[in-house]
Amino acid sequence: MATPTSDAKTSASAPQASERPERLPVTVTKPIPYTFDLGNLLCNDLNPLPPRPTDTELSSAARDCAQALVNQLLTTCPIISHPTDGVLLTLPPPTTPLPREKPLPAEKKETTWEKFAKKKGIKDKKKGEGKMVYNEEKGEWVPKWGYKGRNKDGEGDWIVEVDGKKEKQAQGKGDGGTVRGEGRRERIERVRRNERKQKANERRERKAGVGN
């Protein structure tokens, strides 16, 4: 009696094992056509859902959107085959503006120089503008500062005009200085003076920031 019963169960379960999920259609048609933003891989579905949609209805709507998006990509975007990277599909530029990932950067406070330039009407020069100046004596363009700069004119001359008073002052200092090196000393002193002013301005800005 046991054998027929087991055979019956086996024959009853066989059709269930052979069942396969139903293939859904590739073509999707809706009362309200979809709109796409292929650059963002976006499919907009304006078709209304039931008041209380079930999980099955939500899954079906999502599946239709995904299928329609794939169809649109394959029919409108150029597809190329690359020997190493495989099949490539080129997306068009996005059309839907997206919100920023991070907040807008805070506005920077004006530096002491920027405040001074704004007050005096000094405009910022473009990058590289005004770095060269024409030297009429040499008949060529030379940099304003740095190696062979215009600010070092006279330092490398093999002969210089000597002012008697300045020569006596240089000898009276007792530091071994000469009139020939006076221009270089003045230039170095100007650089140091500018550095001291810059540091003083920075200290003032830090104190003003702490006070605020």
Side-chain angles (χ1 to χ4, degrees):
M1 297 295 292
T3 304
T5 305
S6 61
D7 292 341
K9 290 183 179 180
T10 304
S11 60
S13 60
Q16 297 178 359
S18 62
E19 289 182 358
R20 294 181 180 179
E22 181 184 358
R23 285 191 176 184
L24 298 176
V26 177
T27 304
V28 181
T29 56
K30 293 285 183 177
I32 303 176
Y34 295 124
T35 57
F36 302 95
D37 178 7
L38 300 182
N40 286 321
L41 297 178
L42 175 64
C43 174
N44 295 309
D45 183 7
L46 300 181
N47 295 279
L49 291 171
R52 294 183 179 179
T54 62
D55 291 344
T56 303
E57 291 171 334
L58 293 175
S59 298
S60 177
R63 180 265 165 196
D64 290 344
C65 282
Q67 182 65 59
L69 179 62
V70 171
N71 295 344
Q72 192 74 7
L73 289 171
L74 296 177
T75 55
T76 59
C77 296
I79 302 175
I80 60 174
S81 180
H82 196 271
T84 56
D85 297 334
V87 180
L88 302 177
L89 185 144
T90 304
L91 297 177
T95 58
T96 303
L98 299 177
R100 288 178 59 92
E101 178 185 0
K102 298 179 181 179
L104 290 172
E107 187 176 353
K108 294 182 179 180
K109 295 182 179 180
E110 289 185 338
T111 62
T112 304
W113 163 251
E114 289 174 343
K115 293 178 181 178
F116 175 79
K118 187 176 181 180
K119 181 179 179 181
K120 298 293 184 180
I122 302 174
K123 297 181 180 180
D124 292 338
K125 294 181 179 179
K126 297 180 181 179
K127 187 176 181 181
E129 182 181 355
K131 288 186 176 181
M132 305 294 287
V133 63
Y134 187 74
N135 191 326
E136 295 181 358
E137 297 179 359
K138 297 181 180 179
E140 59 183 7
W141 290 89
V142 297
K144 288 184 178 180
W145 307 280
Y147 179 66
K148 294 185 178 180
R150 186 65 183 271
N151 63 326
K152 296 181 180 179
D153 280 355
E155 293 184 10
D157 294 345
W158 63 276
I159 184 171
V160 294
E161 184 178 357
V162 176
D163 188 340
K165 293 182 178 179
K166 290 185 178 181
E167 182 69 16
K168 290 180 180 179
Q169 290 176 359
Q171 293 177 356
K173 291 180 181 178
D175 56 357
T178 62
V179 175
R180 178 182 292 277
E182 191 66 24
R184 183 174 184 276
R185 285 193 295 272
E186 291 178 356
R187 177 172 56 82
I188 293 175
E189 181 58 31
R190 284 196 302 271
V191 173
R192 291 175 179 173
R193 186 163 55 247
N194 290 335
E195 290 177 351
R196 289 194 295 268
K197 288 182 179 180
Q198 183 179 357
K199 291 179 181 179
N201 291 336
E202 291 175 355
R203 286 195 298 269
R204 244 190 330 268
E205 289 181 2
R206 285 197 296 266
K207 289 181 181 179
V210 172
N212 295 334

